Amino acid sequence: MGGVSVGARLRTMWLMFFMAGIGISVWAITVPYSKIKFDLSDGTLGLVLFAGGIGGLVGMPFAGMAIGRWGSRAVLIAVSTGVGVLLPFLVSAHSSVVFTALLFVYGTLFGALDIAINAQGAVVERMSGRLQMSGFHACYSLGSLAVAVASFLLLRLGVSYAGCALMNASAILLILTQSGFLVAHEADARAVGPRMALPNRATIVLGLCCFACFMTEGAATDWSTVFLRFSRAMPLASATLGYAAFAVATAGARLLGDRVAMWLGQAAVMRMGCAVAVAGFGLVIFVPFGWVGILGFGLVGLGTGNIAPLVLSAAARVPGMAANHSVPAVVGLGYAGFLVGPVVIGGVANGLGLGFALGLDAVLLGATFFAAEAVAG
């Protein structure tokens, strides 16, 4: 495939990130279905979901080692195939124990997919000679949105959850037929390094930035509707608009993110993003009107939408460390933020109020403002 154009590789990467968005969104839709199916309490469901997150953390370092040996394309194809094959089994699990075990495996595969797809994306970005990562992640967001809309329509038409999962799995495997346009191992040789390596200072700084960003995403996912419903007394249907505003603004920011970063500089975009997100949290916390809270969560999504792509792009070019070690380290810290952040917010909210807890997230984003130079190209 040496004659493949950069344009073809870019289009393929857009499809691959769209595919990853399908994979994570189907998981999210399967969770409430399984809660009802197995009659799980909220506490038990939290433990079940934790298995998937732990699986993701387990899969990441092994993905880095596998990329060093076989290349990001081979790992991406292998784990994506596993994700597509496993999806229907998640829905058809006959007990909560089996579902938890499958969710752990699914999380492991998806954690490895996250590493491989970002490593491959960094290679294609470098080949293109300009920033591309925000656009890639926009496709990820669009894939998630497409599954949410398609699943809603299919379920309304009477299609079963198993049928939806089978169709989404087929979409994943169909997209994988284009994997021949991905960059081969010889071309991403820069990612090859020692089998194991401890993260250096630059990698840790980027990882902490990713932690703050992913924690914000987890907070918006888990707590925005709860905050608007119980702290701002909004009807449940209206309260869900907080997360909708966050998700749509995130996707919109990413669609324009690469062009803006090329124009203003990556560090400047990250600083602006942190400032906008902190301002959004300020509206959410201090203005006691629900519609202002919806606007605030939208600003949080607009501000943080490009932080993770900028951080992951920078992780692939950390001086003195191979990308197959730096990228898993950064994404691993980010996953930790997504996992423990919402739990910490819940614990703090129990004693000091949800507004105060969300303020801690805003403080972390404020600190990230001062680490923006870490993403400068």
Side-chain angles (χ1 to χ4, degrees), residues 102-155:
L102 290 174
L103 200 58
F104 175 83
V105 177
Y106 191 87
T108 303
L109 290 171
F110 203 88
L113 169 59
D114 213 342
I115 299 301
I117 200 169
N118 280 291
Q120 177 75 194
V123 175
V124 175
E125 180 182 61
R126 189 167 65 247
M127 292 175 67
S128 74
R130 56 173 296 157
L131 296 175
Q132 302 287 351
M133 198 65 79
S134 289
F136 293 157
H137 282 259
C139 292
Y140 178 93
S141 300
L142 292 174
S144 297
L145 181 61
V147 168
V149 173
S151 297
F152 169 76
L153 294 175
L154 290 170
L155 291 170

Side-chain angles (χ1 to χ4, degrees), residues 2-377:
V4 177
S5 68
V6 173
R9 297 193 193 280
L10 285 171
R11 289 189 290 273
T12 303
M13 284 311 305
W14 295 335
L15 280 173
M16 294 298 150
F17 273 88
F18 188 90
M19 173 200 68
I22 293 174
I24 196 65
S25 189
V26 170
W27 176 354
I29 292 169
T30 302
V31 167
Y33 166 73
S34 300
K35 173 178 169 60
I36 296 169
K37 179 180 178 180
F38 301 122
D39 192 25
L40 301 176
S41 67
D42 289 343
T44 303
L45 180 62
L47 292 175
V48 169
L49 295 179
F50 196 63
I54 292 298
L57 291 175
V58 168
M60 288 177 183
F62 289 103
M65 289 187 283
I67 289 170
R69 181 166 184 178
W70 294 295
S72 55
R73 180 175 73 175
V75 176
L76 176 56
I77 293 171
V79 297
S80 298
T81 302
V83 165
V85 170
L86 191 59
L87 267 180
F89 292 96
L90 270 176
V91 176
S92 60
H94 295 297
S95 71
S96 59
V97 174
V98 173
F99 178 72
T100 303
L102 290 174
L103 200 58
F104 175 83
V105 177
Y106 191 87
T108 303
L109 290 171
F110 203 88
L113 169 59
D114 213 342
I115 299 301
I117 200 169
N118 280 291
Q120 177 75 194
V123 175
V124 175
E125 180 182 61
R126 189 167 65 247
M127 292 175 67
S128 74
R130 56 173 296 157
L131 296 175
Q132 302 287 351
M133 198 65 79
S134 289
F136 293 157
H137 282 259
C139 292
Y140 178 93
S141 300
L142 292 174
S144 297
L145 181 61
V147 168
V149 173
S151 297
F152 169 76
L153 294 175
L154 290 170
L155 291 170
R156 287 292 297 269
L157 291 172
V159 178
S160 67
Y161 276 92
C164 290
L166 187 60
M167 281 188 252
N168 288 314
S170 299
I172 289 174
L173 297 176
L174 181 63
I175 290 173
L176 278 176
T177 62
Q178 302 301 304
S179 58
F181 294 101
L182 296 173
V183 178
H185 187 30
E186 306 79 52
D188 68 352
R190 184 184 173 191
V192 179
R195 287 180 61 83
M196 298 188 69
L198 294 175
N200 56 20
R201 181 180 179 277
T203 303
I204 293 173
V205 170
L206 290 170
L208 292 175
C209 293
C210 200
F211 180 97
C213 184
F214 279 30
M215 177 177 173
T216 303
E217 184 176 344
T221 301
D222 292 357
W223 292 107
S224 59
T225 301
V226 174
F227 180 85
L228 293 174
R229 173 66 184 89
F230 295 101
S231 298
R232 296 293 179 258
M234 296 188 76
L236 182 58
S238 299
T240 60
L241 294 176
Y243 177 69
F246 173 86
V248 171
T250 298
R254 289 174 174 174
L255 284 171
L256 298 174
D258 293 319
R259 293 181 182 178
V260 176
M262 292 287 288
W263 177 38
L264 298 177
Q266 296 159 75
V269 169
M270 186 161 165
R271 289 193 193 96
M272 289 172 56
C274 290
V276 170
V278 170
F281 270 125
L283 291 178
V284 169
I285 297 166
F286 296 113
V287 181
F289 300 106
W291 67 269
V292 177
I294 293 172
L295 174 63
F297 280 116
L299 288 176
V300 172
L302 183 66
T304 58
N306 285 310
I307 295 177
L310 288 172
V311 168
L312 293 172
S313 180
R317 55 176 191 270
V318 171
M321 192 167 187
N324 61 306
H325 297 309
S326 59
V327 173
V330 170
V331 178
L333 275 170
Y335 258 60
F338 190 85
L339 282 175
V340 307
V343 177
V344 170
I345 286 174
V348 173
N350 193 49
L352 298 173
L354 187 50
F356 184 90
L358 292 175
L360 295 179
D361 197 344
V363 169
L364 281 179
L365 288 173
T368 303
F369 177 96
F370 297 99
E373 286 299 328
V375 302

